[in-house]
Amino acid sequence: MNRREFLKTSAGTTGLFLGTGKLFLKTLEPIPEIANPLEFYPDKDWEKVYRDQYRYDSSFTYICSPNDTHACRVRAYVRNGVAVRLEQSYDHQSYGDGLGNTATPQWNPRMCLKGFAFQRRVYGPFRLRYPLVRKGWKEWADDGFPELTPENKARYKFDRRGQDELLRVTWDQAFAYAAKGMIAIAKKYSGSDGRKRLQDEGYPEEMLTHWNEAGTRTFKLRGGMGL
């Protein structure tokens, strides 16, 4: 094929395609004028999947203390009886102490990464599913909480952290032992005898200024303080 024949063939082919294209375009429906694309947009069911991830049945607030001292008040969202996520409450300015002192909005937000993921520990496969009490501590409580002399510390294994046996107890037993321990502390560190005991054990003198001979004010109620 020479140059002239090639150009003739190319021109004919191009004309054929253009003609076919015009015929095809005539069969298309015109695009309607859409004033509001959000109203015209067709099926939106896929959006429900994302919204459904945050659906919840109820919520409640609680104090989050995962072995630290901050004690943040956060909100849990419950779905089908399971706390599916935790969020900051953003209301620290709305509550205060017994004297009427309130915090400020500057405390918001108040929650750490441990708090955000705490439900994973609650529902995790290695979570505790029933109360446990250390065998030596239970024996110490059953014996009436005798003074923890070096000999008694060894006897009840207070000096061997992580080496004692853990015993399974009922919830009623766990609550009863906790109550017995609180009563023993309150009695032991109340009054003039309690003051002398606290001083002998190295209790800071400035702490006794507001102690008012009440053993209950020596309680230290937080996680990680077993010893």
Side-chain angles (χ1 to χ4, degrees), residues 2-225:
N2 57 33
R3 182 173 178 272
R4 184 181 299 273
E5 292 172 339
F6 174 77
L7 291 176
K8 285 182 179 182
T9 304
S10 299
T13 305
T14 302
L16 176 62
F17 278 114
L18 289 176
T20 305
K22 290 179 180 180
L23 180 63
F24 175 73
L25 291 175
K26 289 181 179 180
T27 63
L28 295 178
E29 295 182 3
I31 299 176
E33 183 178 350
I34 302 173
N36 187 351
L38 295 180
E39 292 180 354
F40 178 79
Y41 196 84
D43 187 6
K44 284 187 175 182
D45 288 343
W46 60 271
E47 294 183 357
K48 297 179 182 179
V49 176
Y50 292 94
R51 292 196 180 98
D52 192 59
Q53 292 180 15
Y54 291 92
R55 180 175 61 82
Y56 61 94
D57 303 324
S58 62
S59 68
F60 63 90
T61 56
Y62 70 100
I63 297 299
C64 180
S65 296
N67 199 22
D68 59 30
T69 61
H70 291 193
C72 303
R73 194 168 83 113
V74 301
R75 182 171 293 277
Y77 293 88
V78 180
R79 180 172 174 175
N80 296 328
V82 176
V84 292
R85 74 178 189 276
L86 311 174
E87 293 184 2
Q88 300 156 353
S89 58
Y90 289 99
D91 61 351
H92 290 279
Q93 71 280 358
S94 64
Y95 58 92
D97 59 18
L99 301 178
N101 301 312
T102 59
T104 65
Q106 282 73 15
W107 281 90
N108 299 315
R110 184 176 170 85
M111 192 176 182
C112 70
L113 296 179
K114 287 190 295 183
F116 274 123
F118 192 68
Q119 77 271 23
R120 296 186 181 182
R121 177 180 296 183
V122 174
Y123 297 111
F126 301 108
R127 69 186 186 276
L128 289 178
R129 304 186 183 186
Y130 39 78
L132 296 173
V133 62
R134 190 171 63 80
K135 182 179 180 181
W137 190 94
K138 182 177 181 298
E139 293 175 353
W140 179 55
D142 292 338
D143 291 342
F145 303 98
E147 187 72 24
L148 284 177
T149 61
E151 293 77 19
N152 281 338
K153 284 185 177 181
R155 175 183 176 183
Y156 300 112
K157 296 187 178 180
F158 276 86
D159 57 352
R160 280 168 283 178
R161 185 180 179 91
Q163 299 181 25
D164 199 2
E165 181 183 356
L166 293 175
L167 304 177
R168 179 174 179 174
V169 296
T170 66
W171 282 108
D172 288 341
Q173 289 174 320
F175 292 139
Y177 274 109
K180 289 179 181 179
M182 292 180 181
I183 293 173
I185 294 173
K187 290 182 176 180
K188 185 175 182 178
Y189 294 103
S190 292
S192 56
D193 291 340
R195 171 182 284 274
K196 184 178 185 306
R197 188 185 301 275
L198 289 169
Q199 290 173 330
D200 292 343
E201 294 180 0
Y203 212 70
E205 188 66 33
E206 58 270 23
M207 296 292 289
L208 298 176
T209 303
H210 304 286
W211 163 66
N212 293 334
E213 297 190 352
T216 53
R217 294 196 170 189
T218 66
F219 282 17
K220 295 177 177 62
L221 301 175
R222 78 173 180 89
M225 298 189 67

